[in-house]
Amino acid sequence: MNGKSTSESRSTLHQLMSPEHANALGNVHGGWIMKLVDEAGGLCAMRHARRPCVTVGMDTMTFDKPVHVGELLELTAEVTWTGRTSLEVQVNVIAENPLTGDRVHTNSAYLVYVALDARRQPAPVPPLIPENDAQRERMAAAQKRQDYRIKQRQLKADADANARG
């Protein structure tokens, strides 16, 4: 299977935030932003795999700045790591005031997806080919995050097994 570069699957979504997306304070609901992050990440994963992809998990997401009604959200997603059937995607969120052009980074997240075949079973994904040193460093950091996720899953499985006796 031939590899693919980050730029081949990079995806960007834009959406204007309206009152239906807001809480009582006039800020956009964090859950709405999380939905858009997952959508951008999923599209990126599918573009890389050229297969349907499902979300396996999302690492911690911290909302550093609020998003307000009337702002244009820009969500940029890039594959940062690939395994045999899974991919990690980083999504960065920028809020822009469309009248002034002021832009602020509001949050980022790492999500993991699994590619599926026609029978909805895990399917191989193309390896990620880094294009520069920065992307090689991102891949190394992503591998460490994936190793940590696997370790946490194993610890949970061991704890569950011990609880069952």
Side-chain angles (χ1 to χ4, degrees), residues 53-118:
C53 293
V54 293
T55 311
V56 173
M58 176 187 288
D59 288 355
T60 303
M61 180 188 286
T62 303
F63 298 93
D64 299 322
K65 305 279 187 201
V67 175
H68 304 100
V69 169
E71 291 181 326
L72 178 65
L73 275 194
E74 177 183 277
L75 300 98
T76 304
E78 295 183 345
V79 176
T80 54
W81 171 88
T82 56
R84 191 178 66 76
T85 62
S86 59
L87 314 89
E88 181 191 80
V89 175
Q90 179 181 13
V91 181
N92 290 305
V93 182
I94 303 288
E96 177 182 330
N97 180 321
L99 301 177
T100 66
D102 291 340
R103 293 167 54 88
V104 62
H105 177 266
T106 63
N107 58 297
S108 297
Y110 294 102
L111 299 95
V112 178
Y113 298 90
V114 169
L116 301 177
D117 65 16

Side-chain angles (χ1 to χ4, degrees), residues 16-23 25-34 36 63 66-71 73:
L16 184 65
M17 296 293 95
S18 61
E20 68 195 51
H21 305 127
N23 61 24
L25 298 175
N27 296 331
V28 174
H29 280 285
W32 187 262
I33 296 169
M34 290 174 76
L36 292 173
F63 298 93
V67 175
H68 304 100
V69 169
E71 291 181 326
L73 275 194

Side-chain angles (χ1 to χ4, degrees), residues 126-140:
L128 180 62
I129 301 171
E131 300 169 285
N132 54 48
D133 288 341
Q135 288 181 5
R136 277 185 274 287
E137 290 173 15
R138 280 189 351 173
M139 277 179 65

